[in-house]
Amino acid sequence: MRVLVLGSGGREHAIVHSLAASPNVEAIYAAPGNGGTAGERVTNNVALDPDDAAAVVAFARDKAIDLAMIGPEGPLCNGLADALRSAGIPTVGPGKDGAALEGSKSFAKDLMRRANIPTAAAESFTDRQSALDYLATQTAPIVVKADGLAAGKGVTVATEMQQAIDAVEECFSGRFGSAGNVVVVEEFLDGPECSLLAFVDGTTVLPMSPAQDHKRVGDGDTGPNTGGMGVYSPVPGVDAKQYCRMLEILEVTARELHDAGIDFRGILYGGFILTPDGPKVLEYNARFGDPETQVLLPRLNTDLAEVLSAVANGKLEEFGPLSWTQHVAVSVVIASGGYPGEYTTGKPISGIADAQAIEGVTVYHAGTKLTLDGSLVTAGGRVLNVTAVAPDFETAIATAYQAVGRISFDGAFYRTDIAHRALASRQPGA
Ligand code: AMP
């Protein structure tokens, strides 16, 4: 199989790493890839822009690609999957219509309303004054979201009303570009978060293992939201009833998309809050989560190339259940100083080989690149995902942080409490 992987983050490195382990894969093109994908078996980085659909299609034809895997949401919302499928290339990732589940919070809310899927009560606004008038009738805590894509940073969970007012002003000031033209004000949901992802081939839904991200930049879930600072899987706090309910919600979502005439072939990601009334949907994504992928794929025993091919070709029904290792995975993000605000790039990175020498550790590159002289430098806010797989969370956490301690670059920082809840939720009464 000849595979094209679009994107350049930690998620794409994890996808390439798993595909490279498949005996069925003879060539991988990472477009544009990063400093980590460049070093994987049978993989070449190619200077292709995933937002340039015509160039991607031409490349895929030229290289006789059997499977295209689209990582990030931007190209999906721009219709890259539609362009590839029109050219006859089996593709993992929904078309523009299905990607709206992620690209437009109001599209997602409408679908949930139609299908009776539990979610936070919300109102959408297209002008500043109506949003502010509505806020005046509400109490904090309350959540303000830019409607469109804002890389996980367009959400403000306001504990004080003034923060909500500031967030509305910020959205309408154009900070998030057109993503902020519509602002959603949402009820605050209290409870632990959990993500459940599933492979979907248009009709069949094949669930993965639950994972839990850490969105806030600082220890103890403080500071602004980020794209994600660390993650673990499975989630010991999730019981069988909650898991079955989340899966049922993903199945209802897939059916609703199908009934609306949308052929969703890709990854359906449900972001849930486990409230006392059961799981409620916070958001959907129309692709693999980043960083969730960096703990899910290392635990997946099933050949990733096989399952992705089944997704793209509508053959998931024939595919048995996925096989997972009983071991757990913990991944810690090392970020550039200043992230999620301004940060500098081009800082030399050292210690990755030493970190990977520790048993069970894989370092997925997120924002890295190789310079012309072959040295590895930082190239993004989230730089590395240091993942450890081990029989239990105590060991996985200790191993991940031991590996993190071996890596350095100027300005590096990370959260020191990733997966703490996995330990807490196993203690009596916690
Ligand atoms: P979203 O991009 O909608 O998932 O929001 C990003 C993060 O903001 C979520 O992972 C939550 O941590 C938080 N968040 C979003 N909506 C709510 C809500 N209604 N109640 C509580 N927290 C929320």
Side-chain angles (χ1 to χ4, degrees):
M1 208 184 292
R2 302 167 63 76
V3 192
L4 173 61
V5 178
L6 285 314
S8 62
R11 165 186 49 215
E12 287 76 20
H13 187 193
I15 292 167
V16 166
H17 185 78
S18 287
L19 288 171
S22 167
N24 298 311
V25 172
E26 73 195 57
I28 303 171
Y29 297 95
N34 62 31
T37 56
E40 295 289 347
R41 186 187 79 86
V42 301
T43 305
N44 284 302
N45 282 0
V46 285
L48 257 186
D49 176 1
D51 286 318
D52 184 348
V56 172
V57 169
F59 179 87
R61 281 202 168 121
D62 184 46
K63 298 292 182 195
I65 293 298
D66 304 297
L67 181 70
M69 167 75 215
I70 304 173
E73 59 276 24
L76 291 169
C77 291
N78 288 340
L80 179 59
D82 303 293
L84 284 161
R85 279 195 196 101
S86 302
I89 295 154
T91 299
V92 180
K96 206 171 179 170
D97 52 2
L101 197 59
E102 171 165 8
S104 163
K105 292 197 191 288
S106 39
F107 174 90
K109 285 283 182 197
D110 286 346
L111 180 141
M112 287 189 267
R113 217 166 282 143
R114 283 202 308 274
N116 268 325
I117 292 172
T119 182
E123 296 283 340
S124 299
F125 301 94
T126 50
D127 77 286
R128 170 185 163 275
Q129 196 52 51
S130 325
L132 293 175
D133 290 348
Y134 176 75
L135 277 184
T137 68
Q138 302 294 307
T139 51
I142 194 156
V143 183
V144 177
K145 302 182 173 185
D147 184 69
L149 294 177
K153 290 160 223 149
V155 176
T156 301
V157 179
T159 45
E160 308 283 338
M161 194 44 87
Q162 190 56 47
Q163 288 171 286
I165 294 169
D166 293 346
V168 164
E169 299 283 9
E170 196 178 21
C171 285
F172 285 114
S173 75
R175 157 122 199 256
F176 304 113
S178 62
N181 287 351
V182 179
V183 169
V184 180
V185 179
E186 195 170 277
E187 167 198 10
F188 173 78
L189 297 177
D190 205 8
E193 285 184 48
C194 179
S195 306
L196 184 65
L197 285 73
F199 296 102
V200 179
D201 69 349
T203 45
T204 302
V205 175
L206 195 57
M208 299 186 218
S209 184
Q212 191 169 71
D213 188 6
H214 300 65
K215 288 273 184 198
R216 303 294 192 100
V217 73
D219 281 357
D221 296 325
T222 53
N225 268 329
T226 66
M229 292 299 291
V231 60
Y232 62 94
S233 172
V235 184
V238 172
D239 63 28
K241 191 171 161 211
Q242 289 167 321
Y243 177 80
C244 289
R245 180 65 182 132
M246 290 190 288
L247 172 54
E248 184 186 25
I249 289 172
L250 292 187
E251 287 170 342
V252 170
T253 305
R255 203 176 315 133
E256 190 67 30
L257 288 167
H258 182 259
D259 290 352
I262 295 172
D263 185 16
F264 189 106
R265 294 184 189 209
I267 314 299
L268 178 59
Y269 168 128
F272 296 91
I273 288 214
L274 308 175
T275 76
D277 302 328
K280 294 192 179 182
V281 175
L282 262 190
E283 62 159 351
Y284 292 108
N285 291 326
R287 37 95 191 160
F288 265 121
D290 187 344
E292 286 87 346
T293 311
Q294 291 89 304
V295 286
L296 290 173
L297 295 186
R299 296 188 57 234
L300 182 66
N301 289 331
T302 309
D303 186 319
L304 182 66
E306 295 286 296
V307 65
L308 291 182
S309 176
V311 168
N313 293 298
K315 298 231 157 70
L316 268 189
E317 200 178 357
E318 301 159 20
F319 215 84
L322 301 171
S323 158
W324 299 93
T325 166
Q326 288 307 305
H327 285 199
V328 308
V330 170
S331 185
V332 178
V333 170
I334 309 184
S336 299
Y339 175 80
E342 299 280 306
Y343 54 82
T344 49
T345 57
K347 307 288 184 195
I349 305 169
S350 64
I352 292 182
D354 289 344
Q356 297 209 107
I358 301 170
E359 196 189 334
V361 171
T362 307
V363 179
Y364 296 116
H365 295 225
T368 75
K369 72 171 187 196
L370 288 170
T371 59
L372 289 178
D373 68 5
S375 57
L376 189 72
V377 298
T378 66
R382 293 186 295 169
V383 177
L384 298 166
N385 306 114
V386 181
T387 302
V389 176
D392 56 70
F393 278 108
E394 284 86 352
T395 314
I397 293 169
T399 307
Y401 280 107
Q402 185 193 2
V404 165
R406 294 188 179 185
I407 297 174
S408 57
F409 59 85
D410 193 18
F413 79 96
Y414 52 87
R415 275 183 63 159
T416 63
D417 61 351
I418 299 305
H420 62 288
R421 276 192 230 93
L423 298 178
S425 61
R426 287 180 312 135
Q427 280 155 17

